[in-house]
Amino acid sequence: MSNVKMCVGARSDTPYYMKHFDKQLYTIEELCYVITNNAFMLEDDDIDENLIEWIRDRLHLQPLSDMLIKLKDQNAGLSEIVMNILIYVGYNTEEEIREIRNLLEQSSHMDQFDKKFNKARMFLDKGKLSSAEQEYRYLEENLPEGAVSELSVVYHNLGVIYARKFYFMEAADCFRKEYDLIHTKSALMSYMYAVRICMTEKQYVDYMADNKDAYLLSMELEKKMSDAGLIYDAGDDKHQLATLSVYRTEGNHTAYKNGMNEIISSMKEDYRKMCT
């Protein structure tokens, strides 16, 4: 039982929502867990008056909240505030605390745009598409003039976000902006994928005829689309749909209806998670 950790304070009946990390917290240990796993992403606003109030009123940790208020009044840095939380709670090992301190110090030398890029990437990796889009839109509007490489990343990832939401026209527009900035093959291919999906066959053929650069890559694109189709045909999703088709043909309407409802419900839930 040597690995058992004693909890500090109460467990809150009302969770505290850390918007930055999309986490609901019920205990001070959960706050330490979020800090430990996201130290490089922490910002001053993450430890704000609302969090301190929740620590005092919901977790009944008056001494800790008083300490944090005093540090805030003294304009203490984020690293000092976080270290005081971790040391007070005793959730982390000394080695972990040293590592977190180093990460916070490294992060303190990053400018606001680097932090925004990291935050946007984190949301995108976790499938929080609307939150990621919000961060990338901020970067699009506020990046300094001449930041071509950074802006191309913004447009590429916005294209990825729209494609995952099945907004292929919007995705194509973003990939086109990326290509106009950096003129790479990968950017053009991303644009062509989106165009290929959202256009009719005739529109796509006409487009290829009028765009020499795109036409030269069109055969490679078609090969990759074909390969993707083969992968899908061998996958579980295609097998499940084929089974439901058999149910429908055989007149087993109950099994068909239940299966379709299950698929639709799963897709809706996945989509809700992406758009939160």
Side-chain angles (χ1 to χ4, degrees):
M1 299 292 288
S2 61
N3 292 326
V4 173
K5 293 179 182 289
M6 295 296 291
C7 293
V8 176
R11 186 183 191 278
S12 175
D13 293 331
T14 304
Y16 180 81
Y17 178 60
M18 289 195 81
K19 182 179 180 181
H20 186 167
F21 303 106
D22 191 34
K23 294 292 184 183
Q24 300 271 17
L25 306 180
Y26 289 88
T27 67
I28 196 68
E29 286 77 19
E30 290 175 345
L31 173 60
C32 293
Y33 177 85
V34 170
I35 290 172
T36 302
N37 289 277
N38 301 280
F40 202 63
M41 299 293 299
L42 282 173
E43 297 180 355
D44 292 333
D45 291 343
D46 291 325
I47 314 296
D48 61 8
E49 292 180 0
N50 293 325
L51 176 59
I52 296 173
E53 181 180 315
W54 177 77
I55 290 172
R56 181 192 68 216
D57 296 341
R58 298 296 179 179
L59 304 185
H60 306 300
L61 292 172
Q62 181 85 38
L64 177 57
S65 66
D66 289 345
M67 182 194 304
L68 296 177
I69 290 172
K70 184 178 180 179
L71 289 169
K72 283 282 190 179
D73 290 341
Q74 295 172 347
N75 294 317
L78 177 63
S79 178
E80 184 178 356
I81 292 172
V82 169
M83 288 301 104
N84 274 274
I85 293 174
L86 298 182
I87 292 170
Y88 182 94
V89 177
Y91 174 85
N92 300 87
T93 65
E94 291 182 5
E95 182 180 352
E96 288 173 337
I97 289 177
R98 284 195 298 270
E99 183 178 347
I100 292 167
R101 188 194 301 273
N102 289 334
L103 288 172
L104 289 170
E105 289 176 356
Q106 293 176 38
S107 177
S108 68
H109 298 298
M110 296 170 61
D111 64 27
Q112 61 169 323
F113 298 117
D114 289 332
K115 290 185 176 181
K116 283 288 184 182
F117 269 111
N118 281 341
K119 185 190 294 188
R121 185 72 241 183
M122 179 191 72
F123 282 134
L124 183 56
D125 289 343
K126 291 185 176 182
K128 303 296 181 181
L129 301 187
S130 293
S131 297
E133 180 184 352
Q134 182 178 346
E135 299 299 330
Y136 283 122
R137 286 301 181 192
Y138 173 89
L139 288 163
E140 178 190 18
E141 295 172 5
N142 293 281
L143 279 171
E145 186 175 352
V148 174
S149 178
E150 291 83 357
L151 189 58
S152 70
V153 173
V154 168
Y155 283 129
H156 177 82
N157 287 334
L158 281 172
V160 171
I161 289 167
Y162 282 126
R164 289 187 184 179
K165 289 184 176 182
F166 304 103
Y167 298 156
F168 293 110
M169 287 295 292
E170 290 84 352
D173 181 59
C174 290
F175 290 135
R176 182 71 205 194
K177 289 178 179 178
E178 178 196 9
Y179 177 70
D180 289 342
L181 286 172
I182 57 176
H183 300 288
T184 63
K185 175 183 175 182
S186 61
L188 182 56
M189 286 292 287
S190 296
Y191 171 66
M192 289 171 60
Y193 272 119
V195 166
R196 180 70 176 85
I197 291 171
C198 66
M199 285 184 175
T200 65
E201 194 73 25
K202 184 179 185 307
Q203 288 174 330
Y204 181 70
V205 170
D206 291 343
Y207 172 80
M208 287 296 107
D210 294 333
N211 292 269
K212 183 179 180 180
D213 291 342
Y215 178 78
L216 295 175
L217 291 175
S218 62
M219 297 307 295
E220 181 179 344
L221 173 67
E222 291 302 316
K223 174 66 166 55
K224 290 185 176 181
M225 294 283 284
S226 177
D227 291 344
L230 291 174
I231 292 171
Y232 174 74
D233 287 342
D236 292 337
D237 289 345
K238 180 63 178 293
H239 177 72
Q240 187 177 12
L241 290 173
T243 301
L244 293 179
S245 178
V246 171
Y247 287 154
R248 185 179 183 183
T249 301
E250 293 177 345
N252 191 344
H253 299 297
T254 299
Y256 172 76
K257 183 178 179 180
N258 290 340
M260 288 301 297
N261 285 337
E262 182 179 339
I263 291 174
I264 292 170
S265 296
S266 177
M267 292 177 68
K268 285 181 177 179
E269 182 61 26
D270 289 343
Y271 193 74
R272 287 191 197 99
K273 289 178 181 178
M274 288 193 299
C275 295
T276 55

